[in-house]
Amino acid sequence: MSRELHVVLGTGPAGTTLAEHLIDIGHRVRTVSRTGEPVVPGATAVAADLTDPAQATAAVAGARVVYHCANVAYAQQVEVMPRIQTAVLAGAAAAGARLVVLDTLYPYGPTGGAVMTEQTPWRAVSRKGRMRADLDAAYLAAHRDGLLPVVMGRSADFFGPRVFNSSLGGAVFPAALAGGTVLALGDIDLPHSYSYLPDVAAGLARLGADPAADGRVWHLPTAPARSTREVHRLIAQEVGHPLTVEVLDAPRPWGPFDESFMREYAELFYQYEEAQVMDSSAYEAHFGVRPTPLPEAVAATVDWFRAALATRP
């Protein structure tokens, strides 16, 4: 009997890391991206425009589980992500697959620093946050109405191997290793949850394997929150010297984050002006897992960036 086919939509850092993990645990894997470029050894790569229902349906045909890790640029999200949702729901339902959705904390909106659990009310104030909340309500309705089984896994800010475009990514680790200026956002002494990407990927894979988890939102395993300043100290220990840090107390262009990006990101800057603490204890108790300790995750990330930068021209 052939192994089950698991289809991963999106080949950014999350989709690529998830596809590798699924192969490691013995699944047949197909990755789907706009270009169809093969990026994961052992996976079949196909090209599809996921806003097109016909292409999305063809891309996920034969899947037992579909993982939605596709994303688009900030400026396109409000317009494009709902179209992707419509096509992906139709395609996964046609395949008779379960749908696992990688989600963000945006639907909660500002919390005044309160710890976020799966029971936290959705009070988004940003355009992107309201859009994500609408999408999530539609995913849960699709499950409730019997269209297909759906489960969502929410993550805090990513960091880890391959993660360049994040607040703790390309503007932090390469500069820390090179002795340059590291970017930080908002109040770096407030507690802030950071999710380690390998934990996120493994967390999504567990959701894909457990139908009992369907029909709800889960917070993916994330180490207890520390302040960004404390995270910087952990990075400094690994690179062997103190960090030079520039703190943006308001959204403005800096390094890889240009004016267009920061203009789109401004409505989400509240995440760095109040404590941003995500509690993943429900997931940890259900699945009997713990997140990678933050010092260990930081050390592995520094090692990855050191090796990646050494191979660049």
Side-chain angles (χ1 to χ4, degrees), residues 6 14 20 79 104 125 210 212 223 241 281 295 306:
H6 289 230
E20 286 186 345
E79 175 190 356
T104 73
V125 296
D210 185 6
H241 55 77
S281 60
R306 182 180 285 117

Side-chain angles (χ1 to χ4, degrees), residues 46-220:
V46 303
D49 176 356
L50 292 175
T51 66
D52 182 323
Q55 292 189 45
T57 297
V60 303
R64 175 68 183 86
V65 184
V66 175
Y67 302 85
H68 181 2
C69 299
N71 205 353
V72 298
Y74 272 121
Q76 301 172 349
Q77 285 187 2
V78 172
E79 175 190 356
V80 175
M81 293 302 290
R83 295 166 55 199
I84 292 176
Q85 178 187 57
T86 298
V88 168
L89 281 173
R98 295 176 58 238
L99 179 62
V100 180
V101 180
L102 174 59
D103 197 20
T104 73
L105 301 180
Y106 296 175
Y108 298 131
T111 65
V115 174
M116 287 172 278
T117 72
E118 290 88 341
Q119 283 70 51
T120 297
W122 299 1
R123 294 172 177 164
V125 296
S126 67
R127 292 170 62 245
K128 297 175 192 63
R130 290 193 296 268
M131 176 270 295
R132 290 281 184 176
D134 289 345
L135 295 186
D136 289 357
Y139 283 126
L140 293 175
H143 176 87
R144 186 174 59 249
D145 295 344
L147 177 65
L148 79 171
V150 181
V151 63
M152 290 181 287
R154 283 188 179 150
S155 166
D157 284 352
F158 286 160
F159 78 101
R162 299 190 180 91
V163 181
F164 281 89
N165 190 22
S166 79
S167 63
L168 199 64
V172 176
F173 288 95
L177 284 161
T181 300
V182 164
L183 172 68
L185 303 177
D187 187 341
I188 66 173
D189 291 307
L190 293 171
H192 193 100
S193 291
Y194 291 102
S195 296
Y196 182 48
L197 188 54
D199 288 345
V200 170
L204 292 171
R206 288 189 201 94
L207 292 179
D210 185 6
D214 289 346
R216 58 164 289 179
V217 173
W218 294 89
H219 286 182
L220 297 168

